[in-house]
Amino acid sequence: MKSSLVVMEILSPNHSGQRTQPISRLTVHHAAGVISLTNLLNIFVPTSRKASCNYAIDGQGKIGLCVPENYRSWCSSSTYNDQRAITLEVSNSTTAPEWKISDKAEEAIVKLAVDICKRHKLKGLYFDPDKNAPDKKDWLRVTYHHWFKATLCPGPYIEKIMPRIIEKVNKELNPGVKELWRVQVGAYSIEANARAMAERLKKAGFDTYIVKY
């Protein structure tokens, strides 16, 4: 199974075969380099690599297939996540420390996420900072690689723009929904304090997420 947006296929043998769980997550990784689509897909061809993804995206916004959607890729250092997540590997437009991606790559993420939601009959994207929280039924949850491994992936830039990506996807899927105004509660220099406030808001019944600036 693949998206109609795919323009190139270089399939990786590194996967676990058919998923054992329904698709309920989207995990966006950064490639840690400015890499063409061909080279990005070829990275995952050797079996010695022991890694893969479902889709790769280059700086021009071109989308390639690495592992079919209905197969579990080896991408997130987590069997639990990879069984549920469609995983994307995105080329950077700059290197450290920001690890930016291009505007075209961002738009490709949006288009691919919209396509995934439509084909799998999901309502849209959402983010919950509590990695142990259960996934919402009929939604595609954004998860991060660093939740499961000591890594900076997907990098500070992708995390910064993720709320915008989520908003674009949901607006495309639900064009009749009126624009919303978000209210920021506070900004914290200590991560633990930010997570404590987020937990308080969730317990009070408010939908919230954490963004690192």
Side-chain angles (χ1 to χ4, degrees):
M1 184 183 296
K2 67 177 181 179
S3 169
S4 61
L5 300 171
V6 167
V7 299
M8 181 184 297
E9 291 185 33
I10 301 178
L11 298 180
S12 170
N14 304 322
H15 58 76
S16 299
Q18 292 284 343
R19 296 177 184 273
T20 62
Q21 301 295 328
I23 290 168
S24 62
R25 296 182 171 199
L26 183 74
T27 308
V28 181
H29 302 254
H30 78 121
V34 182
I35 308 173
S36 70
L37 184 60
T38 301
N39 290 342
L40 187 52
L41 288 167
N42 275 320
I43 286 173
F44 301 113
V45 171
T47 55
S48 59
R49 181 79 178 180
K50 296 183 179 179
S52 63
C53 59
N54 292 115
Y55 294 103
I57 298 173
D58 71 3
Q60 298 302 310
K62 293 183 293 186
I63 300 171
L65 182 69
C66 181
V67 172
E69 283 182 16
N70 52 316
Y71 286 7
R72 177 215 154 183
S73 67
W74 298 347
C75 202
S76 308
S77 309
S78 166
T79 298
Y80 186 93
N81 188 71
D82 285 342
Q83 286 287 9
R84 293 161 174 79
I86 291 180
T87 55
L88 315 183
E89 195 78 36
V90 185
S91 174
N92 299 97
S93 59
T94 68
T95 56
E98 291 187 277
W99 299 113
K100 289 185 176 181
I101 64 171
S102 69
D103 292 343
K104 290 182 179 179
E106 179 182 341
E107 287 307 309
I109 295 171
V110 171
K111 290 178 181 178
L112 184 53
V114 168
D115 178 61
I116 291 166
C117 286
K118 285 182 176 179
R119 287 187 291 106
H120 293 278
K121 295 180 171 53
L122 300 170
K123 296 177 181 178
L125 289 186
Y126 80 101
F127 178 72
D128 187 330
D130 181 1
K131 67 179 183 181
N132 296 315
D135 297 349
K136 290 168 61 175
K137 182 177 172 54
D138 299 327
W139 285 81
L140 197 62
R141 180 185 185 183
V142 172
T143 58
Y144 292 143
H145 192 184
H146 64 68
W147 286 1
F148 314 109
K149 183 180 180 179
T151 175
L152 294 177
C153 185
Y157 184 76
I158 288 179
E159 288 200 50
K160 180 180 178 180
I161 67 171
M162 189 54 69
R164 182 169 73 210
I165 289 173
I166 292 171
E167 183 177 4
K168 286 180 178 179
V169 169
N170 292 342
K171 186 174 182 179
E172 180 72 20
L173 290 168
N174 305 283
V177 176
K178 293 182 179 180
E179 183 178 13
L180 300 176
W181 294 87
R182 296 192 179 276
V183 179
Q184 180 175 321
V185 174
Y188 303 86
S189 60
I190 298 174
E191 182 182 2
N193 292 343
R195 295 198 176 279
M197 175 55 75
E199 191 61 32
R200 287 174 59 190
L201 291 169
K202 285 172 63 178
K203 288 181 178 179
F206 296 100
D207 185 21
T208 186
Y209 55 83
I210 296 173
V211 178
K212 184 178 179 181
Y213 292 94

